[in-house]
Amino acid sequence: MVGIGGAAESTDMVLNIGPQHPSTHGVLRLRLVLDGERIMHAEPVIGYMHRGAEKLFEARDYRQIIMLANRHDWLSAFSNELGVVLAVERMLGMEVPTRAVWTRTLLAELNRVLNHLMFLGSYPLELGGITPVFYAFREREVLQNVMEEVSGGRMHYMFNRVGGLKEDLPAGWTSRARAAVAAVRSRMDRFDDLVLGNEIFRGRTRGVGTLAPETVHAYGVSGPIARASGVDFDLRRDEPYLGYGELQDTLKVVTRQEGDCLARFEVLLEQTHVALDLADACLDRLADLPPGPINQRLPKVLKAPEGHTYAWTENPLGINGYYLVSKGEKTPYRLKLRSASYNNIQALVELLPGTLVADMVAILGSLFFVVGDIDK
């Protein structure tokens, strides 16, 4: 029977976690069935932020859809834009200038660091540790300053264009970007000291919320969460795009075997170091390139030829896929977005049953999702 408390052993309690406020994890509603303090059943209820982006794609031309795709994962805006323009360029059979390829790779890795820093700070905060989020935001400000300088946008950069990038880099920007990367790298050990070295954090996360590789495959989980469960897959290495094919010596795919909350945090932290190394490697390549164009000249009205294609990218939170169908018009006939958070969050159905309510926050926070990326 369904009751309001745990007075009897046979009484189950139905508990709603969220939805609450648009800027918190509460927008994701979790419907839990409890037996005392133990979760017996969990159901993620999504759709509270649904904005119909996929339908709007069909009413916007190929320049305008970049703005819509930019926003679903607001921590990975540059990477979101990138997947769309790669799909359109593939449909057009378009070659992008070398300078644009390496600049895109650089900005994608800086965006990855910005995304990861948010979770490296907010996850300890959700478990009661307030200090790391201040350090995380300081490092984010350093990188956001250079991203804002190059694009003009603070969060929603709108810097990608079909055929390249909006404009060339400002004079002296690469030197400032290199200094910013070095400054952030020099202070990343704060998270080892403050978080990984904290026995309370390790006690709350070690052995909690273990995600089996079989569950990863069954639910299409990807990104740092999948790699923390031993699933060694990264599109940047396994199906290289942009400049990643030439960065294999620098690109290290970070994995763990434990699959618990602690492993997911460790993967995220180590992956941030790798992204900083990749950013330095991209800056080196840009320094060696001769001056040249950073975009292609396009017709006033851009139309993709009739057909379909699929492009996917290794976004900060996992694999993003873009299935583009064109009827030869200036707007997509269909653009299906496969977002990382949507698949990742479904694994809560398997992760939460059998755990305690006190561990629910630790598990939920370790899945590193953005709600807009779930609801699109």
Side-chain angles (χ1 to χ4, degrees):
M1 79 178 178
V2 177
I4 58 171
E9 291 185 5
S10 60
T11 300
D12 291 337
M13 176 182 179
V14 178
L15 180 67
N16 281 294
I17 307 295
Q20 293 154 355
H21 189 277
S23 64
T24 70
H25 281 171
V27 187
L28 172 71
R29 175 186 168 203
L30 289 178
R31 185 179 181 275
L32 307 179
V33 178
L34 308 179
D35 182 4
E37 287 293 311
R38 195 164 296 278
I39 299 171
M40 305 307 294
H41 176 74
E43 177 191 358
V45 183
I46 65 174
Y48 288 91
M49 285 190 65
H50 183 57
R51 291 160 290 171
E54 288 183 354
K55 195 64 182 172
L56 290 172
F57 287 151
E58 301 169 16
R60 303 290 189 274
D61 67 33
Y62 286 106
R63 293 178 175 89
Q64 295 168 330
I65 60 174
I66 298 172
M67 181 275 293
L68 291 170
N70 175 292
R71 284 159 164 73
H72 59 87
D73 174 1
W74 44 79
L75 294 178
S76 310
F78 186 87
S79 302
N80 299 340
E81 302 169 12
L82 189 58
V84 170
V85 296
L86 289 176
V88 178
E89 287 162 3
R90 183 175 296 179
M91 287 284 286
L92 293 167
M94 180 181 289
E95 288 289 332
V96 175
T98 305
R99 191 169 182 78
V101 170
W102 284 104
T103 305
R104 281 177 172 180
T105 312
L106 166 62
L107 296 176
E109 290 306 311
L110 292 179
N111 195 196
R112 192 180 310 275
V113 177
L114 283 168
N115 176 289
H116 291 356
L117 282 170
M118 174 62 79
F119 292 107
L120 292 173
S122 68
Y123 184 41
L125 180 65
E126 290 165 1
L127 297 180
I130 192 172
T131 308
V133 74
F134 296 115
Y135 288 101
F137 267 81
R138 181 181 67 178
E139 310 313 333
R140 276 175 54 84
E141 285 299 313
V142 172
L143 291 178
Q144 278 193 300
N145 285 340
V146 294
M147 292 291 282
E148 186 174 3
E149 180 187 355
V150 73
S151 67
R154 183 165 175 80
M155 283 184 66
H156 301 297
Y157 306 109
M158 281 302 296
F159 198 53
N160 277 289
R161 296 292 186 272
V162 176
L165 295 167
K166 176 187 173 186
E167 56 198 10
D168 208 343
L169 304 174
W173 181 87
T174 52
S175 299
R176 292 187 287 277
R178 194 182 293 276
V181 169
V184 172
R185 181 188 286 109
S186 69
R187 296 190 289 257
M188 285 300 294
D189 59 351
R190 302 283 190 191
F191 296 98
D192 286 301
D193 299 337
L194 285 171
V195 185
L196 289 181
N198 187 299
E199 61 183 70
I200 298 175
F201 179 84
R202 298 183 75 87
R204 289 289 306 274
T205 56
R206 187 195 287 117
V208 175
T210 302
L211 184 64
E214 297 78 19
T215 307
V216 169
H217 293 304
Y219 283 86
V221 174
S222 61
I225 301 169
R227 291 192 282 274
S229 295
V231 178
D232 188 4
F233 182 69
D234 190 314
L235 283 176
R236 296 172 296 171
R237 179 198 63 194
D238 300 322
E239 287 197 22
Y241 58 99
L242 294 182
Y244 292 115
E246 300 179 38
L247 294 173
Q248 297 302 306
D249 292 339
T250 307
L251 175 59
K252 176 188 174 186
V253 179
V254 182
T255 61
R256 292 290 188 276
Q257 300 301 318
E258 295 80 4
D260 56 9
C261 295
L262 180 60
R264 291 191 277 275
F265 186 86
E266 288 176 344
V267 167
L268 203 73
L269 179 56
E270 194 171 338
Q271 201 169 267
T272 307
H273 286 280
V274 174
L276 291 169
D277 293 340
L278 288 169
D280 268 339
C282 292
L283 285 164
D284 291 339
R285 289 302 300 263
L286 281 171
D288 295 337
L289 289 177
I294 203 157
N295 51 36
Q296 295 272 27
R297 292 182 65 87
L298 298 176
K300 187 173 182 181
V301 177
L302 181 64
K303 295 183 179 181
E306 188 169 348
H308 61 92
T309 190
Y310 184 76
W312 55 348
T313 58
E314 186 68 44
N315 266 36
L317 297 180
I319 293 174
N320 267 33
Y322 302 84
Y323 179 57
L324 173 62
V325 181
S326 172
K327 295 291 186 181
E329 302 297 329
K330 66 178 182 178
T331 61
Y333 176 77
R334 181 82 168 92
L335 179 54
K336 174 71 175 73
L337 172 62
R338 187 264 191 222
S339 60
S341 297
Y342 179 83
N343 286 69
N344 291 353
I345 209 66
Q346 307 307 320
L348 287 169
V349 174
E350 302 284 345
L351 275 178
L352 290 178
T355 64
L356 298 173
V357 174
D359 291 330
M360 184 269 300
V361 174
I363 297 170
L364 183 64
S366 74
L367 289 190
F368 311 128
F369 62 90
V370 170
V371 182
D373 203 39
I374 300 171
D375 291 346
K376 295 174 282 187

